[in-house]
Amino acid sequence: MEIDFTHHQSAHCENGVVSNLMKHNGFSVSEPMVFGIGSGLLFCYIPLLKVNHAPVITYRALPGHIFKKFAKRTGVKMKREKFKNPKDAKARLDENLEKNNPVGLQVGVYNLVYFPDEYRFHFNAHNMVVYGKEGNRYLISDPVMEDVTSLSEKELEKVRFAKGAFSPKGHMYYPISFPEKLELETAIVKGIKDTCKAMLAPVSFVGVKGIHKIAGLIRKWPKKKGVKTANHYLGQVVRMQEEIGTGGGGFRYIYAAFLQEAGKLLGNEKLIELSKEMTEIGDLWRDFALEASRIYKNRSAQTDSYNKVADQLDHIANLEKVFFKKLKKAI
Protein backbone atom coordinates (compact mmCIF):
# COMPACT_ATOMS: atom_id res chain seq x y z
CA MET A 1 0.00 0.00 0.00
CA GLU A 2 1.65 3.21 -1.15
CA ILE A 3 -0.29 6.39 -1.91
CA ASP A 4 1.05 8.84 -4.50
CA PHE A 5 1.83 11.49 -1.88
CA THR A 6 4.27 14.38 -2.35
CA HIS A 7 6.40 15.26 0.68
CA HIS A 8 7.05 18.95 1.37
CA GLN A 9 9.37 20.01 4.19
CA SER A 10 8.03 22.72 6.52
CA ALA A 11 9.12 24.71 9.56
CA HIS A 12 6.50 23.27 11.92
CA CYS A 13 4.89 19.85 12.03
CA GLU A 14 1.14 20.51 12.37
CA ASN A 15 1.13 23.33 9.81
CA GLY A 16 3.14 21.13 7.48
CA VAL A 17 0.83 18.14 7.85
CA VAL A 18 -2.26 20.23 7.11
CA SER A 19 -0.59 21.99 4.16
CA ASN A 20 0.62 18.67 2.72
CA LEU A 21 -2.79 17.01 3.12
CA MET A 22 -4.47 19.99 1.43
CA LYS A 23 -1.97 19.90 -1.45
CA HIS A 24 -2.53 16.16 -1.83
CA ASN A 25 -6.24 16.87 -2.28
CA GLY A 26 -5.69 19.56 -4.91
CA PHE A 27 -5.65 22.74 -2.79
CA SER A 28 -2.38 24.70 -2.77
CA VAL A 29 -2.30 26.21 0.72
CA SER A 30 1.01 27.34 2.21
CA GLU A 31 2.23 26.51 5.70
CA PRO A 32 1.99 30.15 6.92
CA MET A 33 -1.57 30.39 5.58
CA VAL A 34 -2.58 27.27 7.52
CA PHE A 35 -0.96 28.69 10.66
CA GLY A 36 -2.62 32.12 10.35
CA ILE A 37 -6.11 30.93 9.46
CA GLY A 38 -5.86 28.28 12.18
CA SER A 39 -4.89 30.96 14.75
CA GLY A 40 -1.76 29.04 15.66
CA LEU A 41 0.10 31.95 17.26
CA LEU A 42 -0.26 32.15 21.03
CA PHE A 43 1.61 32.63 24.27
CA CYS A 44 0.44 30.75 27.33
CA TYR A 45 2.02 29.84 30.67
CA ILE A 46 0.60 26.62 32.17
CA PRO A 47 2.19 26.19 35.62
CA LEU A 48 0.17 23.11 36.62
CA LEU A 49 1.32 21.15 33.56
CA LYS A 50 4.91 19.91 33.59
CA VAL A 51 7.04 18.74 30.66
CA ASN A 52 10.62 17.63 31.37
CA HIS A 53 10.08 18.62 35.04
CA ALA A 54 9.38 22.27 34.21
CA PRO A 55 6.17 24.30 33.74
CA VAL A 56 4.85 24.41 30.19
CA ILE A 57 5.17 27.60 28.17
CA THR A 58 3.52 27.32 24.79
CA TYR A 59 3.89 29.66 21.84
CA ARG A 60 1.15 27.94 19.82
CA ALA A 61 -2.44 26.75 20.06
CA LEU A 62 -3.13 23.36 21.63
CA PRO A 63 -2.31 20.27 19.53
CA GLY A 64 -4.95 19.70 16.85
CA HIS A 65 -6.52 23.16 17.17
CA ILE A 66 -4.73 24.62 14.15
CA PHE A 67 -6.20 21.96 11.85
CA LYS A 68 -9.58 22.14 13.56
CA LYS A 69 -9.90 25.93 13.17
CA PHE A 70 -8.42 25.95 9.68
CA ALA A 71 -10.91 23.31 8.54
CA LYS A 72 -13.90 25.05 10.11
CA ARG A 73 -13.01 28.46 8.63
CA THR A 74 -12.35 27.15 5.11
CA GLY A 75 -15.30 24.76 4.92
CA VAL A 76 -13.21 21.58 4.99
CA LYS A 77 -14.83 18.68 6.84
CA MET A 78 -12.38 16.57 8.78
CA LYS A 79 -12.50 13.50 10.97
CA ARG A 80 -10.55 13.11 14.20
CA GLU A 81 -10.29 9.86 16.15
CA LYS A 82 -8.64 8.68 19.37
CA PHE A 83 -8.39 5.11 20.63
CA LYS A 84 -8.04 3.20 23.87
CA ASN A 85 -6.79 0.06 22.14
CA PRO A 86 -3.66 0.12 19.92
CA LYS A 87 -5.10 -2.72 17.81
CA ASP A 88 -8.14 -0.61 16.96
CA ALA A 89 -5.89 2.35 16.12
CA LYS A 90 -3.78 0.20 13.79
CA ALA A 91 -6.87 -1.27 12.09
CA ARG A 92 -8.34 2.20 11.39
CA LEU A 93 -5.01 3.43 10.02
CA ASP A 94 -4.68 0.39 7.71
CA GLU A 95 -8.29 0.83 6.59
CA ASN A 96 -7.58 4.43 5.51
CA LEU A 97 -4.39 3.45 3.70
CA GLU A 98 -6.26 0.74 1.79
CA LYS A 99 -8.66 3.49 0.62
CA ASN A 100 -5.69 5.59 -0.61
CA ASN A 101 -6.29 8.12 2.15
CA PRO A 102 -3.12 9.55 3.79
CA VAL A 103 -3.64 10.25 7.49
CA GLY A 104 -2.27 12.80 9.94
CA LEU A 105 -1.07 11.43 13.30
CA GLN A 106 -0.20 13.03 16.63
CA VAL A 107 2.77 11.24 18.20
CA GLY A 108 5.36 11.44 20.95
CA VAL A 109 8.87 12.58 20.04
CA TYR A 110 10.94 10.62 22.58
CA ASN A 111 10.78 7.27 20.77
CA LEU A 112 10.95 8.56 17.18
CA VAL A 113 13.93 6.52 16.06
CA TYR A 114 14.70 8.69 13.01
CA PHE A 115 15.05 11.85 15.13
CA PRO A 116 18.58 12.85 16.26
CA ASP A 117 19.13 12.07 19.95
CA GLU A 118 19.29 15.75 20.95
CA TYR A 119 15.72 16.27 19.68
CA ARG A 120 14.23 13.21 21.37
CA PHE A 121 12.62 14.34 24.59
CA HIS A 122 9.24 13.83 26.27
CA PHE A 123 6.94 15.88 24.06
CA ASN A 124 3.73 14.32 22.77
CA ALA A 125 2.40 16.89 20.31
CA HIS A 126 4.41 16.11 17.19
CA ASN A 127 2.60 15.50 13.89
CA MET A 128 3.30 13.40 10.80
CA VAL A 129 1.55 11.88 7.79
CA VAL A 130 1.36 8.15 7.13
CA TYR A 131 0.96 7.60 3.39
CA GLY A 132 1.52 3.87 2.91
CA LYS A 133 2.82 0.56 4.15
CA GLU A 134 5.43 -1.89 2.86
CA GLY A 135 5.43 -5.20 4.68
CA ASN A 136 5.37 -4.33 8.38
CA ARG A 137 6.76 -0.81 7.87
CA TYR A 138 4.66 2.34 7.63
CA LEU A 139 5.75 5.03 5.16
CA ILE A 140 6.14 8.35 6.98
CA SER A 141 6.11 11.93 5.71
CA ASP A 142 7.33 13.97 8.67
CA PRO A 143 7.19 17.59 7.46
CA VAL A 144 10.11 18.76 9.60
CA MET A 145 12.39 16.19 7.94
CA GLU A 146 14.03 16.70 4.54
CA ASP A 147 13.00 13.30 3.17
CA VAL A 148 10.38 10.63 3.79
CA THR A 149 11.16 7.77 6.18
CA SER A 150 9.49 4.70 7.70
CA LEU A 151 8.64 3.10 11.04
CA SER A 152 7.89 -0.51 11.94
CA GLU A 153 4.46 -1.42 13.32
CA LYS A 154 5.89 -1.60 16.84
CA GLU A 155 7.79 1.68 16.50
CA LEU A 156 4.69 3.52 15.26
CA GLU A 157 2.48 2.05 17.99
CA LYS A 158 4.98 3.18 20.63
CA VAL A 159 4.90 6.84 19.53
CA ARG A 160 1.12 6.84 18.91
CA PHE A 161 0.51 5.71 22.48
CA ALA A 162 3.26 7.64 24.27
CA LYS A 163 2.49 8.44 27.91
CA GLY A 164 2.57 11.78 29.72
CA ALA A 165 1.27 15.30 29.05
CA PHE A 166 -0.76 15.60 25.81
CA SER A 167 -0.64 11.81 25.38
CA PRO A 168 -1.80 11.18 21.77
CA LYS A 169 -4.00 8.13 22.49
CA GLY A 170 -3.59 7.06 18.88
CA HIS A 171 -4.93 10.41 17.64
CA MET A 172 -5.43 10.43 13.87
CA TYR A 173 -7.06 13.05 11.66
CA TYR A 174 -7.81 13.54 7.98
CA PRO A 175 -10.09 15.59 5.70
CA ILE A 176 -13.19 13.86 4.36
CA SER A 177 -14.82 16.54 2.16
CA PHE A 178 -13.95 19.89 0.61
CA PRO A 179 -15.82 22.91 -0.75
CA GLU A 180 -15.54 23.64 -4.47
CA LYS A 181 -13.40 26.66 -3.61
CA LEU A 182 -11.64 27.66 -0.41
CA GLU A 183 -12.90 31.07 0.76
CA LEU A 184 -9.54 32.17 2.11
CA GLU A 185 -10.39 35.88 2.41
CA THR A 186 -13.11 35.38 5.04
CA ALA A 187 -11.04 32.70 6.79
CA ILE A 188 -8.03 35.04 7.03
CA VAL A 189 -10.07 37.75 8.77
CA LYS A 190 -11.52 35.25 11.27
CA GLY A 191 -8.07 33.81 11.98
CA ILE A 192 -6.51 37.22 12.61
CA LYS A 193 -9.35 38.37 14.87
CA ASP A 194 -9.07 35.20 16.94
CA THR A 195 -5.29 35.60 17.35
CA CYS A 196 -5.64 39.25 18.37
CA LYS A 197 -8.29 38.28 20.93
CA ALA A 198 -6.01 35.63 22.47
CA MET A 199 -2.88 37.78 22.55
CA LEU A 200 -4.75 40.73 24.10
CA ALA A 201 -6.74 38.56 26.55
CA PRO A 202 -7.26 40.07 30.04
CA VAL A 203 -5.83 36.95 31.69
CA SER A 204 -2.51 36.89 33.54
CA PHE A 205 -1.13 33.73 31.93
CA VAL A 206 -2.20 34.22 28.28
CA GLY A 207 -0.92 36.44 25.48
CA VAL A 208 0.84 39.72 26.26
CA LYS A 209 -0.01 39.47 29.96
CA GLY A 210 1.45 35.95 29.98
CA ILE A 211 4.75 37.26 28.61
CA HIS A 212 4.88 39.86 31.40
CA LYS A 213 4.05 37.06 33.87
CA ILE A 214 7.03 34.96 32.74
CA ALA A 215 9.30 38.02 32.88
CA GLY A 216 8.27 38.54 36.51
CA LEU A 217 8.87 34.87 37.35
CA ILE A 218 12.34 34.89 35.76
CA ARG A 219 13.30 37.66 38.18
CA LYS A 220 12.14 35.51 41.13
CA TRP A 221 13.29 32.02 40.12
CA PRO A 222 16.98 32.25 41.24
CA LYS A 223 16.09 33.16 44.86
CA LYS A 224 12.86 31.21 45.06
CA LYS A 225 13.91 28.01 43.25
CA GLY A 226 17.70 28.13 43.35
CA VAL A 227 20.03 28.71 40.40
CA LYS A 228 19.95 25.11 39.13
CA THR A 229 16.15 24.99 38.89
CA ALA A 230 16.00 28.59 37.62
CA ASN A 231 18.34 27.65 34.77
CA HIS A 232 16.32 24.53 33.98
CA TYR A 233 13.08 26.55 33.84
CA LEU A 234 14.73 29.22 31.70
CA GLY A 235 15.97 26.52 29.36
CA GLN A 236 12.40 25.27 29.04
CA VAL A 237 11.23 28.74 27.97
CA VAL A 238 13.85 28.80 25.21
CA ARG A 239 13.35 25.19 24.11
CA MET A 240 9.60 25.74 23.75
CA GLN A 241 10.34 28.89 21.74
CA GLU A 242 13.12 27.77 19.41
CA GLU A 243 12.86 23.97 19.16
CA ILE A 244 9.22 23.12 19.77
CA GLY A 245 8.31 26.53 18.39
CA THR A 246 10.02 25.56 15.16
CA GLY A 247 10.45 28.33 12.66
CA GLY A 248 12.13 30.44 15.32
CA GLY A 249 11.10 33.37 17.45
CA GLY A 250 8.16 31.49 18.94
CA PHE A 251 6.45 31.23 15.51
CA ARG A 252 6.70 34.99 14.91
CA TYR A 253 8.50 34.51 11.58
CA ILE A 254 5.84 32.11 10.30
CA TYR A 255 3.13 34.56 11.36
CA ALA A 256 4.96 37.39 9.58
CA ALA A 257 4.98 35.30 6.39
CA PHE A 258 1.24 34.72 6.82
CA LEU A 259 0.56 38.45 7.15
CA GLN A 260 2.57 39.17 4.03
CA GLU A 261 0.67 36.54 2.03
CA ALA A 262 -2.67 37.65 3.50
CA GLY A 263 -1.92 41.30 2.73
CA LYS A 264 -1.34 40.51 -0.95
CA LEU A 265 -4.45 38.32 -1.17
CA LEU A 266 -6.69 40.91 0.51
CA GLY A 267 -5.02 43.90 -1.11
CA ASN A 268 -4.29 45.25 2.38
CA GLU A 269 -1.00 47.16 2.50
CA LYS A 270 -1.25 47.57 6.28
CA LEU A 271 -0.91 43.79 6.75
CA ILE A 272 2.25 43.81 4.65
CA GLU A 273 3.68 46.63 6.81
CA LEU A 274 2.77 44.73 9.96
CA SER A 275 4.44 41.62 8.54
CA LYS A 276 7.77 43.49 8.61
CA GLU A 277 7.08 44.64 12.17
CA MET A 278 6.35 41.08 13.30
CA THR A 279 9.65 39.93 11.74
CA GLU A 280 11.46 42.56 13.84
CA ILE A 281 9.66 41.30 16.96
CA GLY A 282 10.74 37.77 16.03
CA ASP A 283 14.35 39.02 15.96
CA LEU A 284 13.91 40.34 19.53
CA TRP A 285 12.62 36.92 20.65
CA ARG A 286 15.74 35.39 19.11
CA ASP A 287 17.94 37.91 20.96
CA PHE A 288 16.20 36.94 24.20
CA ALA A 289 16.79 33.23 23.49
CA LEU A 290 20.49 33.89 22.88
CA GLU A 291 20.97 35.81 26.14
CA ALA A 292 18.89 33.31 28.12
CA SER A 293 20.90 30.38 26.72
CA ARG A 294 24.10 32.02 27.91
CA ILE A 295 22.68 32.11 31.42
CA TYR A 296 21.56 28.47 31.63
CA LYS A 297 24.79 27.30 29.99
CA ASN A 298 26.73 29.41 32.53
CA ARG A 299 28.35 31.49 29.80
CA SER A 300 26.84 34.86 30.64
CA ALA A 301 29.38 37.53 31.59
CA GLN A 302 26.66 39.96 32.63
CA THR A 303 25.82 40.72 36.22
CA ASP A 304 22.14 40.75 37.14
CA SER A 305 21.57 38.61 34.04
CA TYR A 306 18.13 37.24 35.03
CA ASN A 307 16.73 40.74 35.41
CA LYS A 308 18.19 41.75 32.06
CA VAL A 309 16.54 38.93 30.11
CA ALA A 310 13.32 39.65 32.01
CA ASP A 311 13.62 43.26 30.82
CA GLN A 312 13.91 41.95 27.26
CA LEU A 313 10.66 40.02 27.67
CA ASP A 314 8.83 42.99 29.16
CA HIS A 315 9.95 45.07 26.19
CA ILE A 316 8.72 42.39 23.74
CA ALA A 317 5.36 42.21 25.56
CA ASN A 318 4.94 45.98 25.28
CA LEU A 319 5.70 45.89 21.55
CA GLU A 320 3.31 42.97 20.97
CA LYS A 321 0.51 44.76 22.82
CA VAL A 322 0.83 47.70 20.43
CA PHE A 323 1.27 45.35 17.45
CA PHE A 324 -1.88 43.29 18.03
CA LYS A 325 -3.96 46.40 18.64
CA LYS A 326 -2.80 47.73 15.26
CA LEU A 327 -3.44 44.34 13.62
CA LYS A 328 -6.95 44.20 15.04
CA LYS A 329 -7.65 47.64 13.62
CA ALA A 330 -6.10 46.79 10.25
CA ILE A 331 -8.67 44.10 9.47
Side-chain angles (χ1 to χ4, degrees), residues 79-94 96 103-108 124-128 130 138 153 155-174:
K79 189 173 181 66
R80 297 170 66 185
E81 299 179 78
K82 289 189 176 184
F83 305 88
K84 293 181 179 178
N85 189 325
K87 289 184 180 179
D88 293 338
K90 178 181 177 297
R92 288 292 289 136
L93 175 58
D94 290 347
N96 273 279
V103 171
L105 297 182
Q106 179 188 337
V107 298
N124 293 328
H126 188 60
N127 292 266
M128 61 170 62
V130 178
Y138 286 98
E153 291 179 350
E155 287 168 345
L156 186 60
E157 179 183 310
K158 197 167 188 178
V159 294
R160 290 186 75 187
F161 287 86
K163 305 296 183 184
F166 301 120
S167 54
K169 299 176 183 175
H171 184 200
M172 59 187 281
Y173 54 94
Y174 47 93

Side-chain angles (χ1 to χ4, degrees), residues 8 73 92 99 151 174 193-195 217 227 249 300 320:
H8 299 275
R73 289 166 184 164
R92 288 292 289 136
K99 293 177 180 177
L151 291 171
Y174 47 93
K193 284 183 176 179
D194 193 15
T195 298
L217 289 171
V227 171
S300 178
E320 292 206 352

Side-chain angles (χ1 to χ4, degrees), residues 57-172:
I57 291 95
T58 181
Y59 295 78
R60 53 153 290 176
L62 287 172
H65 280 223
I66 295 173
F67 194 9
K68 183 179 179 181
K69 289 182 177 182
F70 172 83
K72 183 178 180 180
R73 289 166 184 164
T74 55
V76 176
K77 290 186 179 177
M78 45 87 74
K79 189 173 181 66
R80 297 170 66 185
E81 299 179 78
K82 289 189 176 184
F83 305 88
K84 293 181 179 178
N85 189 325
K87 289 184 180 179
D88 293 338
K90 178 181 177 297
R92 288 292 289 136
L93 175 58
D94 290 347
E95 183 183 324
N96 273 279
L97 296 178
E98 286 169 4
K99 293 177 180 177
N100 287 320
N101 188 27
V103 171
L105 297 182
Q106 179 188 337
V107 298
V109 166
Y110 188 75
N111 290 300
L112 275 181
V113 293
Y114 59 80
F115 260 32
D117 287 345
E118 58 268 26
Y119 287 102
R120 291 172 63 182
F121 52 96
H122 293 287
F123 178 71
N124 293 328
H126 188 60
N127 292 266
M128 61 170 62
V129 173
V130 178
Y131 68 94
K133 191 176 184 183
E134 290 181 354
N136 76 330
R137 296 194 71 81
Y138 286 98
L139 306 180
I140 307 295
S141 167
D142 188 323
V144 303
M145 304 300 287
E146 189 173 350
D147 297 307
V148 294
T149 185
S150 66
L151 291 171
S152 70
E153 291 179 350
K154 285 187 176 181
E155 287 168 345
L156 186 60
E157 179 183 310
K158 197 167 188 178
V159 294
R160 290 186 75 187
F161 287 86
K163 305 296 183 184
F166 301 120
S167 54
K169 299 176 183 175
H171 184 200
M172 59 187 281

Side-chain angles (χ1 to χ4, degrees), residues 8-23 27-41 60 66-67 70 126-127 142-145 184 244-248 251-259 261-262:
H8 299 275
Q9 190 175 21
S10 65
H12 180 251
C13 61
E14 188 173 346
N15 308 325
V17 165
V18 178
S19 178
N20 283 342
L21 289 175
M22 293 300 293
K23 287 172 182 172
F27 296 91
S28 183
V29 184
S30 71
E31 177 191 3
M33 189 59 68
V34 169
F35 186 67
I37 290 175
S39 299
L41 191 74
R60 53 153 290 176
I66 295 173
F67 194 9
F70 172 83
H126 188 60
N127 292 266
D142 188 323
V144 303
M145 304 300 287
L184 293 181
I244 296 174
T246 41
F251 295 102
R252 268 62 182 169
Y253 296 130
I254 297 177
Y255 201 73
F258 159 67
L259 290 177
E261 192 176 344

Side-chain angles (χ1 to χ4, degrees), residues 231 234-235 238 286-302 305-306 309 312:
N231 285 353
L234 191 57
V238 174
R286 275 275 170 92
D287 292 343
F288 158 76
L290 179 61
E291 290 303 322
S293 67
R294 285 172 176 157
I295 295 171
Y296 64 75
K297 292 177 181 177
N298 297 314
R299 294 174 186 167
S300 178
Q302 296 188 33
S305 52
Y306 292 96
V309 293
Q312 286 179 285

Side-chain angles (χ1 to χ4, degrees), residues 3 33 44 53 63 67 93 112 144 146 155 218 269 273 281 310 325 330-331:
I3 300 163
M33 189 59 68
C44 188
H53 309 289
F67 194 9
L93 175 58
L112 275 181
V144 303
E146 189 173 350
E155 287 168 345
I218 288 172
E269 286 295 326
E273 289 174 22
I281 291 173
K325 284 183 175 180
I331 49 99

